[in-house]
Amino acid sequence: MATLLLDDGTINRDLNEIVQELAALSIHIKHYDPGTSLLFPHLLEQEVLIDSEKQHIIGLHNSVFELIQQQNGYLWCDLLNLHPGLPNLENLIATYSRYHNHNAPEALYILAGEMIFSFVKPDNGQIHLLLQSQDYIHISAGVEHWCSPTASLHCKAIRYFTTVEGWVPNYTDTQLSDSLYKPH
Ligand SMILES: CSCCC(=O)C(=O)O
Ligand SMILES: [Fe+2]
Ligand code: NI
């Protein structure tokens, strides 16, 4: 389930309130429990996935999320599998951890593990969103964000793309807030 950390230290776990707060920033989240995780619990717990295992998981979700894909014009998708043993993990984290936006939407559905996204509010405050399994996020084109795995370094997610080249980052100069928790 999604958790939102505001820049005044407030933590919000009310999905409806989080949905509203994010909608104002053109970010859309939803929790989907299609029951698919029951079909491959062994793969969700497995650290390394080979291509055929990724395709198996993607295939199952393509039928479940067909409508979402049509409505959003997703052309293709892949399965991101971040885990502590991933050879280029440090480089990936470095590319995710700078504020950027994209010319097209960024959408993903978390299958297992966690991911933190941060966004900039109109008043320049920053908010931090923890996404967990079965959370779906759609970040509209042009919306500044950065993201990070949590300390578990585990995240399995289906990424949806509306362009052939995928999510090309346009790095912005916004600095990450110096602390994720600022006492009142
Ligand atoms: C690892 S999920 C998304 C990371 C990101 O914002 C990006 O690759 O553009
Ligand atoms: Fe991005
Ligand atoms: Ni299976």
Side-chain angles (χ1 to χ4, degrees):
M1 279 292 188
T3 304
L4 190 68
L5 175 63
L6 301 177
D7 46 2
D8 66 356
T10 312
I11 293 168
N12 197 339
R13 291 195 179 85
D14 183 306
L15 186 58
N16 290 329
E17 287 178 21
I18 296 175
V19 164
Q20 280 182 32
E21 180 101 22
L22 293 176
L25 304 178
S26 296
I27 297 154
H28 306 284
I29 63 163
K30 205 170 156 84
H31 189 83
Y32 289 103
D33 183 359
T36 47
S37 56
L38 299 173
L39 300 172
F40 47 86
H42 54 300
L43 291 183
L44 289 180
E45 280 166 23
Q46 192 173 306
E47 190 149 322
V48 178
L49 296 175
I50 59 172
D51 281 347
S52 60
E53 291 168 333
K54 290 185 178 181
Q55 287 311 318
H56 174 66
I57 295 173
I58 287 173
L60 286 167
H61 289 85
N62 277 346
S63 46
V64 176
F65 292 132
E66 193 179 351
L67 190 65
I68 296 170
Q69 297 193 54
Q70 281 174 6
Q71 284 171 344
N72 293 286
Y74 299 146
L75 291 179
W76 60 286
C77 60
D78 71 1
L79 200 146
L80 174 79
N81 184 19
L82 294 183
H83 56 87
L86 196 68
N88 60 342
L89 183 62
E90 269 179 67
N91 290 336
L92 280 178
I93 291 176
T95 63
Y96 298 157
S97 67
R98 286 168 62 195
Y99 264 112
H100 63 273
N101 62 32
H102 307 280
N103 299 341
E106 170 172 327
L108 65 144
Y109 178 69
I110 311 267
L111 295 167
E114 300 176 322
M115 190 65 79
I116 297 171
F117 283 84
S118 297
F119 306 101
V120 184
K121 292 188 304 174
D123 68 1
N124 286 328
Q126 297 184 20
I127 55 176
H128 311 284
L129 174 71
L130 173 69
L131 293 182
Q132 292 170 312
S133 64
Q134 303 179 326
D135 290 335
Y136 167 80
I137 186 168
H138 178 282
I139 305 171
S140 298
V143 173
E144 248 185 300
H145 61 276
W146 70 275
C147 81
S148 170
T150 61
S152 73
L153 301 177
H154 274 285
C155 183
K156 285 179 169 57
I158 304 182
R159 310 189 298 174
Y160 292 99
F161 303 103
T162 55
T163 60
V164 281
E165 62 271 23
W167 305 330
V168 180
N170 308 312
Y171 289 108
T172 56
D173 287 332
T174 306
Q175 297 300 302
L176 277 46
S177 55
D178 50 1
S179 165
L180 287 188
Y181 179 72
K182 293 206 181 95
H184 301 269

